Coordinates of all heavy atoms in Angstrom, one line a residue:
M2 N 265.5 212.0 -80.2 CA 266.4 213.2 -79.9 C 266.3 214.2 -81.1 O 266.1 213.8 -82.2 CB 267.8 212.7 -79.7 CG 268.8 213.7 -79.3 SD 268.3 214.5 -77.7 CE 269.2 216.0 -77.8
A3 N 266.6 215.4 -80.8 CA 266.5 216.5 -81.8 C 267.6 216.3 -82.9 O 268.7 215.9 -82.6 CB 266.8 217.8 -81.1
N4 N 267.3 216.6 -84.1 CA 268.2 216.4 -85.2 C 268.7 217.7 -85.8 O 269.9 217.8 -86.0 CB 267.5 215.6 -86.4 CG 267.4 214.1 -86.0 OD1 268.2 213.5 -85.3 ND2 266.3 213.5 -86.4
T5 N 267.9 218.7 -86.0 CA 268.3 219.9 -86.6 C 269.0 220.8 -85.5 O 268.7 220.6 -84.3 CB 267.1 220.7 -87.2 OG1 266.2 221.0 -86.1 CG2 266.3 219.8 -88.2
P6 N 269.9 221.6 -86.0 CA 270.6 222.5 -85.0 C 269.6 223.4 -84.2 O 269.8 223.6 -83.0 CB 271.4 223.4 -85.9 CG 271.6 222.6 -87.2 CD 270.4 221.8 -87.3
S7 N 268.5 223.9 -84.8 CA 267.6 224.7 -84.1 C 266.8 223.9 -83.0 O 266.6 224.4 -81.9 CB 266.6 225.4 -85.1 OG 265.9 224.4 -85.8
A8 N 266.5 222.6 -83.3 CA 265.9 221.8 -82.4 C 266.8 221.4 -81.2 O 266.4 221.3 -80.1 CB 265.4 220.5 -83.1
K9 N 268.1 221.2 -81.5 CA 269.1 221.0 -80.5 C 269.2 222.2 -79.5 O 269.2 222.0 -78.3 CB 270.4 220.6 -81.1 CG 270.4 219.3 -81.7 CD 271.8 219.0 -82.4 CE 271.8 217.6 -83.0 NZ 273.0 217.3 -83.7
K10 N 269.2 223.4 -80.1 CA 269.3 224.6 -79.3 C 268.0 224.7 -78.5 O 268.1 225.1 -77.3 CB 269.5 225.8 -80.2 CG 269.6 227.1 -79.4 CD 269.8 228.3 -80.3 CE 269.8 229.6 -79.5 NZ 270.0 230.8 -80.4
A11 N 266.9 224.5 -79.1 CA 265.6 224.6 -78.3 C 265.6 223.6 -77.1 O 265.2 224.0 -76.0 CB 264.4 224.3 -79.2
A12 N 266.1 222.4 -77.3 CA 266.2 221.4 -76.2 C 267.1 221.9 -75.1 O 266.8 221.8 -73.9 CB 266.7 220.1 -76.8
R13 N 268.2 222.6 -75.5 CA 269.1 223.1 -74.5 C 268.4 224.3 -73.7 O 268.5 224.3 -72.5 CB 270.4 223.7 -75.1 CG 271.3 222.6 -75.6 CD 272.7 223.2 -76.0 NE 272.7 224.3 -76.8 CZ 272.8 224.3 -78.2 NH1 272.9 223.1 -78.8 NH2 272.8 225.4 -78.9
K14 N 267.7 225.1 -74.4 CA 267.0 226.2 -73.8 C 265.9 225.7 -72.8 O 265.8 226.2 -71.7 CB 266.4 227.1 -74.8 CG 267.4 228.0 -75.5 CD 266.7 228.8 -76.6 CE 265.7 229.8 -76.1 NZ 265.2 230.7 -77.2
I15 N 265.2 224.7 -73.3 CA 264.1 224.2 -72.4 C 264.7 223.6 -71.1 O 264.2 223.7 -70.1 CB 263.3 223.1 -73.2 CG1 262.5 223.8 -74.3 CG2 262.4 222.3 -72.3 CD1 261.9 222.9 -75.3
A16 N 265.9 222.9 -71.3 CA 266.5 222.3 -70.1 C 266.9 223.4 -69.1 O 266.7 223.3 -67.9 CB 267.7 221.5 -70.5
R17 N 267.4 224.5 -69.6 CA 267.8 225.6 -68.7 C 266.6 226.3 -68.0 O 266.6 226.5 -66.8 CB 268.6 226.7 -69.5 CG 270.0 226.4 -69.7 CD 270.8 227.7 -70.1 NE 270.2 228.4 -71.3 CZ 270.6 228.1 -72.6 NH1 271.5 227.2 -72.8 NH2 270.0 228.8 -73.6
Q18 N 265.5 226.5 -68.8 CA 264.3 227.1 -68.3 C 263.6 226.2 -67.3 O 263.1 226.7 -66.3 CB 263.3 227.4 -69.4 CG 263.8 228.5 -70.4 CD 263.0 228.6 -71.7 OE1 262.3 227.7 -72.0 NE2 263.3 229.6 -72.4
T19 N 263.7 224.9 -67.5 CA 263.1 223.9 -66.6 C 263.8 224.0 -65.2 O 263.2 224.0 -64.2 CB 263.2 222.5 -67.1 OG1 262.5 222.4 -68.4 CG2 262.6 221.5 -66.2
A20 N 265.2 224.1 -65.3 CA 265.9 224.2 -64.0 C 265.6 225.4 -63.3 O 265.4 225.4 -62.1 CB 267.4 224.1 -64.4
T21 N 265.5 226.5 -64.0 CA 265.1 227.8 -63.4 C 263.7 227.8 -62.8 O 263.5 228.2 -61.6 CB 265.2 229.0 -64.4 OG1 266.5 229.0 -65.0 CG2 264.9 230.3 -63.8
N22 N 262.8 227.2 -63.5 CA 261.4 227.1 -63.0 C 261.3 226.2 -61.8 O 260.6 226.5 -60.9 CB 260.5 226.6 -64.1 CG 260.2 227.7 -65.2 OD1 260.5 228.9 -65.0 ND2 259.7 227.3 -66.3
K23 N 262.1 225.1 -61.8 CA 262.1 224.2 -60.6 C 262.6 224.9 -59.4 O 262.0 224.8 -58.3 CB 263.0 223.0 -60.9 CG 262.2 221.8 -61.5 CD 263.2 220.6 -61.5 CE 262.5 219.4 -62.1 NZ 263.5 218.3 -62.3
A24 N 263.7 225.7 -59.6 CA 264.2 226.4 -58.4 C 263.2 227.5 -57.9 O 263.0 227.6 -56.7 CB 265.5 227.1 -58.9
R25 N 262.6 228.2 -58.8 CA 261.6 229.2 -58.4 C 260.4 228.6 -57.7 O 260.0 229.1 -56.7 CB 261.2 230.0 -59.6 CG 260.6 231.3 -59.3 CD 260.2 232.2 -60.5 NE 261.3 232.4 -61.4 CZ 262.2 233.4 -61.3 NH1 262.2 234.2 -60.2 NH2 263.2 233.5 -62.2
R26 N 259.9 227.5 -58.3 CA 258.8 226.8 -57.6 C 259.2 226.3 -56.2 O 258.4 226.4 -55.3 CB 258.4 225.6 -58.5 CG 257.0 225.0 -58.1 CD 256.6 223.9 -59.1 NE 256.4 224.4 -60.4 CZ 257.1 224.0 -61.5 NH1 258.0 223.1 -61.4 NH2 256.8 224.6 -62.7
S27 N 260.4 225.8 -56.1 CA 260.9 225.3 -54.8 C 260.9 226.5 -53.8 O 260.5 226.3 -52.6 CB 262.2 224.7 -55.0 OG 262.8 224.3 -53.7
R28 N 261.4 227.6 -54.2 CA 261.5 228.8 -53.4 C 260.1 229.2 -52.9 O 259.9 229.5 -51.7 CB 262.1 230.0 -54.1 CG 263.6 230.0 -54.2 CD 264.1 231.2 -54.9 NE 263.7 232.4 -54.4 CZ 264.5 233.2 -53.6 NH1 265.7 232.8 -53.4 NH2 264.1 234.3 -53.1
V29 N 259.1 229.2 -53.8 CA 257.7 229.6 -53.5 C 257.2 228.6 -52.4 O 256.6 229.0 -51.4 CB 256.8 229.6 -54.8 CG1 255.4 229.7 -54.4 CG2 257.2 230.7 -55.7
R30 N 257.4 227.3 -52.6 CA 256.9 226.3 -51.7 C 257.6 226.5 -50.3 O 256.9 226.3 -49.3 CB 257.2 224.9 -52.2 CG 256.3 224.6 -53.4 CD 256.6 223.2 -53.9 NE 255.7 222.9 -55.0 CZ 256.1 222.0 -56.0 NH1 257.2 221.4 -56.0 NH2 255.2 221.8 -57.0
T31 N 258.8 226.9 -50.3 CA 259.5 227.1 -49.0 C 258.9 228.3 -48.3 O 258.6 228.2 -47.1 CB 261.0 227.4 -49.2 OG1 261.6 226.2 -49.9 CG2 261.8 227.6 -47.9
Y32 N 258.7 229.4 -49.0 CA 258.0 230.5 -48.4 C 256.6 230.2 -47.9 O 256.2 230.6 -46.8 CB 258.0 231.7 -49.4 CG 259.3 232.5 -49.4 CD1 260.2 232.3 -50.4 CD2 259.6 233.4 -48.4 CE1 261.4 233.1 -50.5 CE2 260.7 234.2 -48.5 CZ 261.6 234.0 -49.5 OH 262.8 234.7 -49.5
L33 N 255.9 229.5 -48.7 CA 254.5 229.1 -48.3 C 254.6 228.2 -47.0 O 253.7 228.4 -46.1 CB 253.8 228.3 -49.4 CG 253.4 229.2 -50.6 CD1 252.8 228.3 -51.7 CD2 252.4 230.2 -50.2
R34 N 255.5 227.3 -47.0 CA 255.6 226.5 -45.8 C 255.9 227.3 -44.5 O 255.4 227.0 -43.5 CB 256.7 225.4 -46.0 CG 256.8 224.4 -44.9 CD 257.8 223.3 -45.2 NE 259.0 223.6 -45.9 CZ 260.0 224.2 -45.4 NH1 260.1 224.5 -44.1 NH2 261.1 224.5 -46.1
K35 N 256.8 228.3 -44.7 CA 257.1 229.2 -43.5 C 255.8 229.9 -43.0 O 255.6 230.0 -41.8 CB 258.2 230.2 -43.9 CG 259.6 229.6 -44.1 CD 260.6 230.6 -44.5 CE 261.9 229.9 -44.6 NZ 262.9 230.9 -45.2
V36 N 255.0 230.3 -44.0 CA 253.8 231.0 -43.6 C 252.8 230.0 -42.9 O 252.3 230.4 -41.8 CB 253.1 231.7 -44.8 CG1 251.8 232.3 -44.4 CG2 254.0 232.7 -45.5
E37 N 252.7 228.8 -43.5 CA 251.8 227.8 -42.9 C 252.3 227.5 -41.5 O 251.4 227.3 -40.6 CB 251.9 226.5 -43.8 CG 251.2 226.7 -45.1 CD 249.7 226.7 -45.0 OE1 249.1 226.4 -44.0 OE2 249.1 227.1 -46.0
E38 N 253.6 227.3 -41.3 CA 254.1 227.0 -39.9 C 253.8 228.1 -38.9 O 253.5 227.9 -37.8 CB 255.6 226.7 -40.0 CG 255.9 225.4 -40.6 CD 257.4 225.2 -40.9 OE1 258.2 226.1 -40.7 OE2 257.7 224.1 -41.4
A39 N 253.9 229.4 -39.4 CA 253.6 230.5 -38.5 C 252.2 230.6 -38.2 O 251.8 230.9 -37.0 CB 254.1 231.8 -39.2
I40 N 251.3 230.2 -39.1 CA 249.9 230.2 -38.8 C 249.6 229.1 -37.9 O 248.8 229.2 -36.9 CB 249.1 230.0 -40.2 CG1 249.2 231.3 -41.0 CG2 247.6 229.7 -39.9 CD1 248.6 231.2 -42.4
A41 N 250.2 227.9 -38.1 CA 250.0 226.8 -37.2 C 250.4 227.0 -35.8 O 249.8 226.6 -34.8 CB 250.7 225.5 -37.7
S42 N 251.5 227.8 -35.6 CA 251.9 228.2 -34.3 C 251.0 229.1 -33.6 O 251.1 229.3 -32.3 CB 253.3 228.8 -34.3 OG 253.3 230.1 -34.8
G43 N 250.1 229.8 -34.3 CA 249.2 230.8 -33.8 C 249.7 232.1 -33.5 O 249.0 233.0 -32.9
D44 N 250.9 232.4 -34.0 CA 251.5 233.7 -33.8 C 251.2 234.6 -35.0 O 251.8 234.5 -36.0 CB 253.1 233.6 -33.6 CG 253.7 234.9 -33.2 OD1 253.0 235.9 -33.1 OD2 255.0 234.8 -33.1
Q45 N 250.3 235.6 -34.7 CA 249.8 236.4 -35.8 C 250.9 237.3 -36.4 O 251.0 237.5 -37.6 CB 248.6 237.3 -35.4 CG 248.0 238.0 -36.6 CD 246.7 238.7 -36.2 OE1 246.5 239.0 -35.0 NE2 245.9 239.1 -37.2
S46 N 251.7 237.9 -35.5 CA 252.8 238.8 -36.0 C 253.8 238.1 -36.8 O 254.3 238.6 -37.8 CB 253.4 239.6 -34.8 OG 254.0 238.7 -34.0
A47 N 254.2 236.9 -36.4 CA 255.2 236.1 -37.1 C 254.6 235.6 -38.5 O 255.3 235.7 -39.5 CB 255.6 234.8 -36.3
A48 N 253.3 235.3 -38.5 CA 252.6 234.9 -39.7 C 252.6 236.1 -40.7 O 252.8 235.9 -41.9 CB 251.2 234.4 -39.4
N49 N 252.3 237.3 -40.1 CA 252.3 238.5 -41.0 C 253.6 238.7 -41.6 O 253.7 239.1 -42.8 CB 251.8 239.7 -40.1 CG 250.5 240.2 -40.6 OD1 250.1 240.1 -41.7 ND2 249.8 240.8 -39.6
E50 N 254.7 238.6 -40.8 CA 256.0 238.8 -41.4 C 256.4 237.8 -42.4 O 257.0 238.1 -43.4 CB 257.1 238.8 -40.2 CG 257.0 240.0 -39.3 CD 257.2 241.3 -40.1 OE1 258.2 241.4 -40.9 OE2 256.4 242.2 -39.8
A51 N 256.0 236.6 -42.2 CA 256.3 235.5 -43.1 C 255.5 235.7 -44.4 O 256.1 235.6 -45.5 CB 255.9 234.1 -42.6
L52 N 254.3 236.2 -44.3 CA 253.5 236.5 -45.5 C 254.1 237.7 -46.3 O 254.1 237.7 -47.5 CB 252.0 236.8 -45.2 CG 251.1 237.1 -46.4 CD1 251.1 235.9 -47.4 CD2 249.7 237.4 -46.0
K53 N 254.6 238.7 -45.5 CA 255.1 239.9 -46.1 C 256.4 239.5 -47.0 O 256.6 240.1 -48.0 CB 255.5 240.9 -45.1 CG 255.6 242.3 -45.5 CD 255.8 243.3 -44.4 CE 254.5 243.5 -43.6 NZ 254.6 244.6 -42.6
S54 N 257.1 238.5 -46.5 CA 258.3 238.1 -47.3 C 257.9 237.1 -48.4 O 258.6 237.0 -49.4 CB 259.4 237.5 -46.4 OG 258.9 236.3 -45.8
A55 N 256.8 236.4 -48.2 CA 256.4 235.4 -49.2 C 255.7 236.0 -50.4 O 255.9 235.5 -51.5 CB 255.5 234.4 -48.6
Q56 N 255.0 237.1 -50.1 CA 254.1 237.7 -51.2 C 254.9 238.1 -52.4 O 254.5 237.7 -53.6 CB 253.3 238.8 -50.7 CG 252.3 239.4 -51.7 CD 251.4 240.4 -51.0 OE1 251.4 240.6 -49.8 NE2 250.5 241.0 -51.8
P57 N 256.1 238.8 -52.3 CA 256.8 239.2 -53.5 C 257.3 238.0 -54.3 O 257.3 238.0 -55.5 CB 258.0 240.0 -53.0 CG 257.6 240.4 -51.6 CD 256.6 239.4 -51.1
E58 N 257.7 236.9 -53.6 CA 258.2 235.7 -54.3 C 257.1 235.0 -55.0 O 257.3 234.5 -56.1 CB 258.8 234.8 -53.2 CG 259.7 233.7 -53.8 CD 260.9 234.3 -54.5 OE1 261.5 235.2 -54.1 OE2 261.2 233.7 -55.6
I59 N 255.9 235.0 -54.4 CA 254.8 234.4 -55.1 C 254.4 235.1 -56.4 O 254.2 234.6 -57.4 CB 253.5 234.3 -54.1 CG1 253.9 233.3 -53.0 CG2 252.3 233.8 -54.9 CD1 252.9 233.4 -51.8
M60 N 254.3 236.5 -56.2 CA 254.0 237.3 -57.4 C 255.0 237.3 -58.4 O 254.7 237.3 -59.7 CB 253.7 238.7 -56.9 CG 252.5 238.9 -56.1 SD 251.1 238.1 -57.0 CE 249.8 238.4 -55.8
R61 N 256.3 237.2 -58.0 CA 257.4 237.0 -59.0 C 257.2 235.7 -59.8 O 257.4 235.7 -61.0 CB 258.7 237.1 -58.3 CG 259.9 237.3 -59.3 CD 261.2 237.5 -58.5 NE 261.1 238.7 -57.7 CZ 261.2 238.7 -56.3 NH1 261.5 237.6 -55.7 NH2 261.2 239.9 -55.7
A62 N 256.9 234.7 -59.2 CA 256.6 233.4 -59.8 C 255.5 233.5 -60.8 O 255.5 233.0 -61.9 CB 256.3 232.3 -58.8
A63 N 254.5 234.3 -60.5 CA 253.4 234.6 -61.4 C 253.8 235.3 -62.6 O 253.4 235.0 -63.8 CB 252.2 235.3 -60.7
T64 N 254.6 236.4 -62.4 CA 255.0 237.2 -63.6 C 256.0 236.4 -64.5 O 256.1 236.6 -65.7 CB 255.7 238.5 -63.2 OG1 256.9 238.2 -62.3 CG2 254.8 239.4 -62.4
K65 N 256.7 235.5 -63.9 CA 257.7 234.6 -64.7 C 257.0 233.4 -65.3 O 257.6 232.7 -66.1 CB 258.8 234.1 -63.8 CG 259.6 235.2 -63.2 CD 260.4 236.0 -64.2 CE 261.3 237.1 -63.6 NZ 262.0 237.9 -64.6
G66 N 255.7 233.2 -65.0 CA 255.0 232.1 -65.7 C 255.1 230.8 -65.0 O 254.6 229.8 -65.5
V67 N 255.6 230.8 -63.8 CA 255.7 229.5 -63.0 C 254.3 229.2 -62.4 O 253.9 228.1 -62.4 CB 256.8 229.6 -61.9 CG1 256.8 228.4 -61.1 CG2 258.2 229.8 -62.5
L68 N 253.7 230.2 -61.9 CA 252.3 230.1 -61.4 C 251.4 231.0 -62.3 O 251.9 232.0 -62.8 CB 252.2 230.6 -60.0 CG 252.9 229.9 -58.9 CD1 252.7 230.6 -57.6 CD2 252.3 228.5 -58.7
H69 N 250.1 230.6 -62.4 CA 249.2 231.5 -63.0 C 248.9 232.7 -62.1 O 249.0 232.5 -60.9 CB 247.9 230.7 -63.3 CG 246.9 231.4 -64.2 ND1 246.1 232.4 -63.8 CD2 246.7 231.3 -65.6 CE1 245.4 232.8 -64.9 NE2 245.8 232.2 -65.9
A70 N 248.6 233.8 -62.7 CA 248.5 235.0 -61.9 C 247.3 234.9 -60.9 O 247.4 235.3 -59.8 CB 248.2 236.2 -62.8
N71 N 246.2 234.3 -61.4 CA 245.1 234.1 -60.5 C 245.4 233.1 -59.3 O 244.9 233.3 -58.2 CB 243.9 233.6 -61.2 CG 243.3 234.6 -62.2 OD1 243.7 235.7 -62.2 ND2 242.3 234.2 -62.9
T72 N 246.2 232.1 -59.6 CA 246.6 231.2 -58.6 C 247.4 231.9 -57.5 O 247.2 231.7 -56.3 CB 247.4 230.0 -59.2 OG1 246.7 229.4 -60.2 CG2 247.8 229.0 -58.1
A73 N 248.3 232.7 -57.9 CA 249.2 233.5 -57.0 C 248.3 234.4 -56.1 O 248.5 234.4 -54.9 CB 250.2 234.3 -57.7
S74 N 247.4 235.1 -56.8 CA 246.5 236.0 -56.0 C 245.7 235.3 -55.0 O 245.5 235.7 -53.9 CB 245.7 236.8 -57.0 OG 246.5 237.7 -57.8
R75 N 245.2 234.1 -55.5 CA 244.3 233.3 -54.6 C 245.1 232.8 -53.4 O 244.6 232.9 -52.2 CB 243.7 232.2 -55.4 CG 242.7 231.3 -54.6 CD 242.2 230.1 -55.4 NE 243.3 229.2 -55.6 CZ 243.7 228.8 -56.8 NH1 243.2 229.3 -57.9 NH2 244.6 227.9 -56.9
K76 N 246.3 232.4 -53.6 CA 247.1 231.9 -52.5 C 247.4 233.0 -51.4 O 247.2 232.8 -50.2 CB 248.4 231.3 -53.0 CG 248.3 230.0 -53.6 CD 249.7 229.4 -54.0 CE 249.6 228.1 -54.7 NZ 249.0 227.0 -53.9
V77 N 247.8 234.2 -51.9 CA 248.0 235.3 -51.0 C 246.8 235.7 -50.3 O 246.8 235.9 -49.1 CB 248.6 236.5 -51.8 CG1 248.7 237.7 -51.0 CG2 250.0 236.2 -52.4
S78 N 245.6 235.8 -51.0 CA 244.4 236.2 -50.4 C 244.0 235.2 -49.3 O 243.6 235.6 -48.2 CB 243.3 236.3 -51.5 OG 242.1 236.6 -50.9
R79 N 244.1 233.9 -49.6 CA 243.6 232.9 -48.6 C 244.5 232.9 -47.4 O 244.1 232.7 -46.3 CB 243.5 231.5 -49.2 CG 242.3 231.5 -50.2 CD 242.2 230.1 -50.8 NE 241.0 230.1 -51.7 CZ 240.7 229.0 -52.5 NH1 241.5 228.0 -52.5 NH2 239.7 229.1 -53.3
L80 N 245.8 233.1 -47.6 CA 246.7 233.1 -46.5 C 246.5 234.4 -45.6 O 246.4 234.3 -44.4 CB 248.2 233.1 -47.0 CG 248.7 231.8 -47.5 CD1 250.1 232.1 -48.1 CD2 248.9 230.8 -46.4
N81 N 246.2 235.5 -46.3 CA 245.9 236.7 -45.6 C 244.6 236.5 -44.7 O 244.6 237.0 -43.6 CB 245.7 237.8 -46.6 CG 246.2 239.2 -46.0 OD1 246.6 239.3 -44.9 ND2 246.0 240.2 -46.9
A82 N 243.6 235.9 -45.3 CA 242.4 235.7 -44.6 C 242.6 234.8 -43.3 O 242.0 235.0 -42.3 CB 241.3 235.0 -45.5
R83 N 243.4 233.8 -43.5 CA 243.7 232.9 -42.4 C 244.5 233.6 -41.2 O 244.3 233.3 -40.1 CB 244.5 231.7 -42.8 CG 243.6 230.7 -43.6 CD 244.4 229.6 -44.2 NE 245.1 228.8 -43.2 CZ 246.0 227.9 -43.5 NH1 246.4 227.8 -44.8 NH2 246.6 227.2 -42.6
I84 N 245.4 234.5 -41.7 CA 246.1 235.3 -40.7 C 245.2 236.2 -39.9 O 245.3 236.4 -38.7 CB 247.3 236.0 -41.3 CG1 248.4 235.0 -41.8 CG2 248.0 237.0 -40.4 CD1 249.4 235.6 -42.7
K85 N 244.3 236.9 -40.6 CA 243.3 237.8 -40.0 C 242.5 237.0 -39.0 O 242.1 237.5 -38.0 CB 242.5 238.4 -41.1 CG 243.1 239.7 -41.7 CD 242.1 240.3 -42.6 CE 242.7 241.5 -43.3 NZ 241.8 242.1 -44.3
A86 N 242.1 235.8 -39.4 CA 241.3 235.0 -38.5 C 242.0 234.6 -37.2 O 241.3 234.4 -36.2 CB 240.9 233.7 -39.2
L87 N 243.3 234.6 -37.2 CA 244.1 234.3 -36.0 C 243.8 235.4 -34.9 O 243.7 235.1 -33.7 CB 245.6 234.3 -36.2 CG 246.2 233.1 -36.9 CD1 247.7 233.3 -37.2 CD2 245.9 231.8 -36.1
G88 N 243.7 236.6 -35.4 CA 243.5 237.7 -34.4 C 242.0 237.8 -33.9 O 241.8 238.3 -32.8
A89 N 241.1 237.2 -34.6 CA 239.7 237.3 -34.2 C 239.3 236.4 -33.1 O 240.0 235.5 -32.8 CB 238.8 237.1 -35.5

């Protein structure tokens, strides 16, 4: 366990940040699941709407450091490609 006051404070900060990051990661996964379900149902318009609401949340996670920026971009890009394929 931390001994110095600064180490104790750092441990408290890390605990708060971990909780925030967990919540944000959970939100991202929820949005991704909604998009996946819409794609699985085969409804392109519903999938498009789901992606439109998921994209800001994914990018926000990237700016906050929960996801790497390239990972977020790749997820959005691949989901978009799958939605486009529904229409073809």
Side-chain angles (χ1 to χ4, degrees):
M2 186 58 204
N4 287 323
T5 64
S7 60
K9 288 178 181 175
K10 180 179 179 181
R13 291 193 306 270
K14 283 175 65 174
I15 289 167
R17 279 197 305 269
Q18 290 165 350
T19 300
T21 303
N22 287 344
K23 266 188 183 174
R25 199 177 303 277
R26 192 175 298 116
S27 175
R28 280 178 60 101
V29 168
R30 287 179 181 151
T31 301
Y32 277 101
L33 287 175
R34 184 172 38 78
K35 287 178 183 173
V36 177
E37 291 287 346
E38 287 170 356
I40 290 172
S42 73
D44 187 359
Q45 189 176 17
S46 62
N49 246 332
E50 288 302 312
L52 181 62
K53 205 174 281 187
S54 63
Q56 188 170 353
E58 196 61 41
I59 295 168
M60 290 309 181
R61 193 171 299 118
T64 59
K65 299 295 183 183
V67 176
L68 293 176
H69 193 278
N71 290 356
T72 303
S74 293
R75 184 182 68 240
K76 284 186 182 298
V77 171
S78 176
R79 288 183 180 173
L80 286 171
N81 214 1
R83 286 173 60 195
I84 291 170
K85 277 186 182 174
L87 284 178

